[in-house]
Amino acid sequence: KGCGAYVNGGTFHLYGGTFSKNIGHNIGQNTNGGGVYVENSSTFYMYGGSITDNIAGSTNDYTDGGGVYVKNYSTFHMSGGSIIGNSSGSCGGGVYVEDNSTFTLSGSASITGNWTNGSGGGVYVKSYSTFEMHDNASITGNSAKSQGGGVHVAWSGTFHMSGGSITGNNAASFGSGGVCVYGTMTVSGSARITGNVNDGSKGDNGIYTGGTASNVRLVGRTTITIDGPLTEDSQIGVSLY
C-alpha cells in the first residue's frame, strides 16, 4: 500500500518535493496507490510538489490509483502541485477514491498525463465518495483504455464541479474522453469540459486530438444538475447513452 507514502488514521501535509517512480507490482497482491495511499479517516493536504510517474501494477494487475488512492472515510485536499504521468492496471490512473471518501481539486492544481488500463484516466470515484473541482484546477491529457479519460463517476460516486477545466483527455473505447457519469454530477460557476475525444492521438504537447469529440457521457438515466449560476465562459458538451 502506498509505495511512496502510506497514511493510516493520520494527517499529512505536502508543501513541496516529489513522490516519483514508485512501483507496486505483485500480481494478486494489494498494490493500490503507486504513489500515495490514504485510508481510515486520514487527511492529506497537498499545497505543492508533485506525484509523478508512479505505477500501481502492470496491465495484468487489478490495481487502482497509480498516483493516489483514497479510501475509507478519508480526505485528500489538493490546492496546488501536480499529479503527472502515473498509471494503473485497473482504474484511476491518477487518482482513485472510494468508501465514503472525498478528493478536492482546487487552486491551480493539475492532474495531467495519467493513464489507466481500465476507467478514469485522471480520476475515478465510487462507493459513496465525492470528487470536487474548483477554481482554476485542470485535468488535461489523461487517457483510459475503457471509459472516462478525464474523470469516471461510478454508480455510487458524486462529482461536483464549480470551476476549472477538463480538456484534451482521451478514452480508447466508446466511453467518454472527458467525463463518464454513471453516478451523480453537478455543475456551477466556471466549468469547462471541452476538447476531449474518443480514440484520439497524443500530440507533442501532451494533448489528445482527432478521433471523435466526446466530453460528457451520461449513461442510462443519469443527469447533470446545475446547482448554481454558470459564468459566460462555461462550456460543457453532453452525449446521452
Side-chain angles (χ1 to χ4, degrees), residues 97-122:
V97 191
E98 70 166 341
D99 292 345
N100 298 281
S101 296
T102 300
F103 181 86
T104 302
L105 185 68
S106 63
S108 60
S110 63
I111 297 176
T112 306
N114 302 282
W115 178 86
T116 183
N117 194 49
S119 297

Side-chain angles (χ1 to χ4, degrees), residues 64 88-96 115-125 143-153 173 175 180 182:
D64 303 308
S88 67
S90 184
C91 292
V95 178
Y96 188 97
W115 178 86
T116 183
N117 194 49
S119 297
V123 178
Y124 186 100
V125 57
S143 184
K145 188 174 181 180
S146 184
Q147 305 178 80
V151 179
H152 184 92
V153 186
S173 73
C180 186
Y182 285 84

Side-chain angles (χ1 to χ4, degrees), residues 114-116 120-122 140-150 167-173 175-178 195-202 207-212 214:
N114 302 282
W115 178 86
T116 183
T140 306
N142 303 282
S143 184
K145 188 174 181 180
S146 184
Q147 305 178 80
T167 60
N169 302 284
N170 176 71
S173 73
S176 174
N196 302 284
V197 296
N198 281 355
D199 199 24
S201 57
K202 189 175 185 178
I207 301 300
Y208 286 89
T209 58
T212 304
S214 182

Side-chain angles (χ1 to χ4, degrees), residues 14-20 46 48-52 82:
L14 179 65
Y15 293 92
T18 302
F19 290 106
S20 180
M46 185 173 178
S50 64
I51 299 172
T52 306
S82 56

Side-chain angles (χ1 to χ4, degrees), residues 40-117:
N40 297 332
S41 302
S42 295
T43 303
F44 193 108
Y45 294 94
M46 185 173 178
Y47 310 102
S50 64
I51 299 172
T52 306
D53 295 333
N54 301 284
I55 300 172
S58 72
T59 56
N60 296 317
D61 296 335
Y62 292 101
T63 52
D64 303 308
V68 174
Y69 191 96
V70 188
K71 181 181 180 181
N72 195 23
Y73 295 94
S74 295
T75 303
F76 195 111
H77 296 288
M78 183 180 179
S79 58
S82 56
I83 296 175
I84 303 176
N86 304 282
S87 63
S88 67
S90 184
C91 292
V95 178
Y96 188 97
V97 191
E98 70 166 341
D99 292 345
N100 298 281
S101 296
T102 300
F103 181 86
T104 302
L105 185 68
S106 63
S108 60
S110 63
I111 297 176
T112 306
N114 302 282
W115 178 86
T116 183
N117 194 49

